[in-house]
Short mmCIF file of all heavy atoms in Angstrom, two decimals:
data_model
loop_
_atom_site.label_atom_id
_atom_site.label_comp_id
_atom_site.label_asym_id
_atom_site.label_seq_id
_atom_site.Cartn_x
_atom_site.Cartn_y
_atom_site.Cartn_z
N THR A 35 99.76 -111.26 -60.34
CA THR A 35 99.77 -112.09 -59.15
C THR A 35 100.99 -113.01 -59.16
O THR A 35 101.32 -113.62 -60.17
CB THR A 35 98.49 -112.94 -59.09
OG1 THR A 35 97.38 -112.08 -59.17
CG2 THR A 35 98.42 -113.74 -57.81
N ASP A 36 101.65 -113.11 -58.00
CA ASP A 36 102.79 -113.99 -57.85
C ASP A 36 102.30 -115.31 -57.26
O ASP A 36 102.11 -115.43 -56.05
CB ASP A 36 103.84 -113.35 -56.95
CG ASP A 36 105.11 -114.17 -56.86
OD1 ASP A 36 105.24 -115.15 -57.61
OD2 ASP A 36 105.98 -113.81 -56.05
N TYR A 37 102.09 -116.30 -58.10
CA TYR A 37 101.54 -117.58 -57.66
C TYR A 37 102.56 -118.40 -56.88
O TYR A 37 102.19 -119.29 -56.13
CB TYR A 37 101.00 -118.36 -58.85
CG TYR A 37 99.76 -117.73 -59.42
CD1 TYR A 37 99.80 -116.96 -60.57
CD2 TYR A 37 98.54 -117.87 -58.78
CE1 TYR A 37 98.66 -116.37 -61.08
CE2 TYR A 37 97.39 -117.29 -59.28
CZ TYR A 37 97.46 -116.53 -60.43
OH TYR A 37 96.33 -115.95 -60.92
N ARG A 38 103.82 -118.11 -57.06
CA ARG A 38 104.86 -118.80 -56.28
C ARG A 38 104.71 -118.45 -54.80
O ARG A 38 104.92 -119.30 -53.92
CB ARG A 38 106.24 -118.40 -56.79
CG ARG A 38 107.35 -119.16 -56.15
CD ARG A 38 108.67 -118.87 -56.89
NE ARG A 38 109.74 -119.62 -56.29
CZ ARG A 38 110.71 -119.07 -55.56
NH1 ARG A 38 110.72 -117.77 -55.36
NH2 ARG A 38 111.65 -119.81 -55.06
N ALA A 39 104.34 -117.21 -54.52
CA ALA A 39 104.12 -116.79 -53.14
C ALA A 39 102.95 -117.55 -52.52
O ALA A 39 102.98 -117.90 -51.34
CB ALA A 39 103.88 -115.29 -53.07
N PHE A 40 101.89 -117.79 -53.31
CA PHE A 40 100.76 -118.58 -52.82
C PHE A 40 101.22 -119.99 -52.44
O PHE A 40 100.81 -120.54 -51.42
CB PHE A 40 99.65 -118.68 -53.86
CG PHE A 40 98.72 -117.51 -53.87
CD1 PHE A 40 98.62 -116.69 -54.98
CD2 PHE A 40 97.93 -117.22 -52.77
CE1 PHE A 40 97.77 -115.62 -54.99
CE2 PHE A 40 97.07 -116.15 -52.77
CZ PHE A 40 96.98 -115.34 -53.88
N PHE A 41 102.07 -120.58 -53.27
CA PHE A 41 102.57 -121.92 -52.99
C PHE A 41 103.38 -121.95 -51.70
O PHE A 41 103.22 -122.83 -50.86
CB PHE A 41 103.41 -122.44 -54.17
CG PHE A 41 103.94 -123.82 -53.97
CD1 PHE A 41 103.09 -124.91 -54.02
CD2 PHE A 41 105.28 -124.03 -53.71
CE1 PHE A 41 103.57 -126.19 -53.83
CE2 PHE A 41 105.77 -125.30 -53.52
CZ PHE A 41 104.92 -126.38 -53.58
N ILE A 42 104.24 -120.95 -51.51
CA ILE A 42 105.07 -120.89 -50.31
C ILE A 42 104.20 -120.67 -49.07
O ILE A 42 104.43 -121.29 -48.02
CB ILE A 42 106.13 -119.79 -50.46
CG1 ILE A 42 107.13 -120.19 -51.56
CG2 ILE A 42 106.84 -119.53 -49.14
CD1 ILE A 42 108.08 -119.09 -51.96
N MET A 43 103.19 -119.82 -49.17
CA MET A 43 102.28 -119.63 -48.04
C MET A 43 101.51 -120.92 -47.74
O MET A 43 101.25 -121.24 -46.58
CB MET A 43 101.31 -118.48 -48.32
CG MET A 43 101.94 -117.13 -48.24
SD MET A 43 100.80 -115.74 -48.25
CE MET A 43 99.73 -116.08 -49.61
N GLY A 44 101.16 -121.66 -48.77
CA GLY A 44 100.47 -122.93 -48.57
C GLY A 44 101.34 -123.93 -47.83
O GLY A 44 100.87 -124.64 -46.93
N ILE A 45 102.63 -123.96 -48.19
CA ILE A 45 103.56 -124.84 -47.50
C ILE A 45 103.66 -124.43 -46.02
O ILE A 45 103.83 -125.28 -45.15
CB ILE A 45 104.95 -124.80 -48.17
CG1 ILE A 45 104.88 -125.49 -49.53
CG2 ILE A 45 106.01 -125.43 -47.30
CD1 ILE A 45 106.15 -125.38 -50.33
N SER A 46 103.55 -123.15 -45.74
CA SER A 46 103.64 -122.67 -44.35
C SER A 46 102.37 -122.96 -43.56
O SER A 46 102.42 -123.37 -42.40
CB SER A 46 103.92 -121.18 -44.33
OG SER A 46 105.09 -120.88 -45.03
N PHE A 47 101.21 -122.70 -44.15
CA PHE A 47 99.94 -122.83 -43.44
C PHE A 47 99.54 -124.27 -43.19
O PHE A 47 98.90 -124.57 -42.19
CB PHE A 47 98.81 -122.13 -44.19
CG PHE A 47 98.82 -120.64 -44.06
CD1 PHE A 47 98.18 -119.85 -45.00
CD2 PHE A 47 99.44 -120.01 -43.00
CE1 PHE A 47 98.17 -118.47 -44.88
CE2 PHE A 47 99.44 -118.64 -42.87
CZ PHE A 47 98.80 -117.86 -43.82
N LEU A 48 99.89 -125.17 -44.09
CA LEU A 48 99.47 -126.57 -43.96
C LEU A 48 99.99 -127.19 -42.66
O LEU A 48 99.18 -127.64 -41.83
CB LEU A 48 99.92 -127.37 -45.18
CG LEU A 48 99.52 -128.83 -45.20
CD1 LEU A 48 98.02 -128.98 -45.33
CD2 LEU A 48 100.21 -129.53 -46.36
N PRO A 49 101.29 -127.22 -42.40
CA PRO A 49 101.73 -127.83 -41.14
C PRO A 49 101.36 -126.99 -39.92
O PRO A 49 101.11 -127.54 -38.84
CB PRO A 49 103.24 -127.94 -41.29
CG PRO A 49 103.60 -127.02 -42.38
CD PRO A 49 102.40 -126.86 -43.25
N LEU A 50 101.29 -125.66 -40.09
CA LEU A 50 100.91 -124.81 -38.97
C LEU A 50 99.51 -125.15 -38.48
O LEU A 50 99.26 -125.26 -37.28
CB LEU A 50 100.98 -123.34 -39.38
CG LEU A 50 100.59 -122.33 -38.32
CD1 LEU A 50 101.64 -122.28 -37.24
CD2 LEU A 50 100.40 -120.97 -38.94
N GLY A 51 98.58 -125.35 -39.41
CA GLY A 51 97.22 -125.71 -39.04
C GLY A 51 97.15 -127.07 -38.36
O GLY A 51 96.42 -127.25 -37.38
N ILE A 52 97.91 -128.02 -38.86
CA ILE A 52 97.91 -129.36 -38.27
C ILE A 52 98.47 -129.31 -36.85
O ILE A 52 97.88 -129.85 -35.91
CB ILE A 52 98.71 -130.34 -39.15
CG1 ILE A 52 98.00 -130.56 -40.48
CG2 ILE A 52 98.92 -131.67 -38.43
CD1 ILE A 52 98.80 -131.33 -41.50
N VAL A 53 99.61 -128.64 -36.68
CA VAL A 53 100.24 -128.57 -35.36
C VAL A 53 99.36 -127.83 -34.37
O VAL A 53 99.20 -128.25 -33.22
CB VAL A 53 101.64 -127.91 -35.48
CG1 VAL A 53 102.20 -127.58 -34.11
CG2 VAL A 53 102.59 -128.82 -36.24
N MET A 54 98.78 -126.72 -34.77
CA MET A 54 97.94 -125.95 -33.86
C MET A 54 96.67 -126.72 -33.50
O MET A 54 96.18 -126.61 -32.37
CB MET A 54 97.61 -124.59 -34.45
CG MET A 54 98.81 -123.65 -34.46
SD MET A 54 98.44 -122.02 -35.03
CE MET A 54 97.52 -121.38 -33.66
N THR A 55 96.12 -127.48 -34.43
CA THR A 55 94.94 -128.29 -34.12
C THR A 55 95.27 -129.34 -33.06
O THR A 55 94.51 -129.56 -32.13
CB THR A 55 94.42 -128.98 -35.39
OG1 THR A 55 94.07 -127.99 -36.35
CG2 THR A 55 93.18 -129.82 -35.08
N ILE A 56 96.44 -129.97 -33.20
CA ILE A 56 96.82 -131.01 -32.25
C ILE A 56 97.19 -130.42 -30.89
O ILE A 56 96.74 -130.91 -29.86
CB ILE A 56 98.00 -131.84 -32.82
CG1 ILE A 56 97.52 -132.64 -34.04
CG2 ILE A 56 98.58 -132.77 -31.76
CD1 ILE A 56 98.62 -133.31 -34.81
#
Side-chain angles (χ1 to χ4, degrees):
T35 305
D36 185 8
Y37 290 102
R38 186 170 181 252
F40 277 117
F41 181 72
I42 293 170
M43 287 191 311
I45 290 174
S46 302
F47 284 158
L48 182 67
L50 179 70
I52 293 170
V53 169
M54 288 184 72
T55 301
I56 293 170

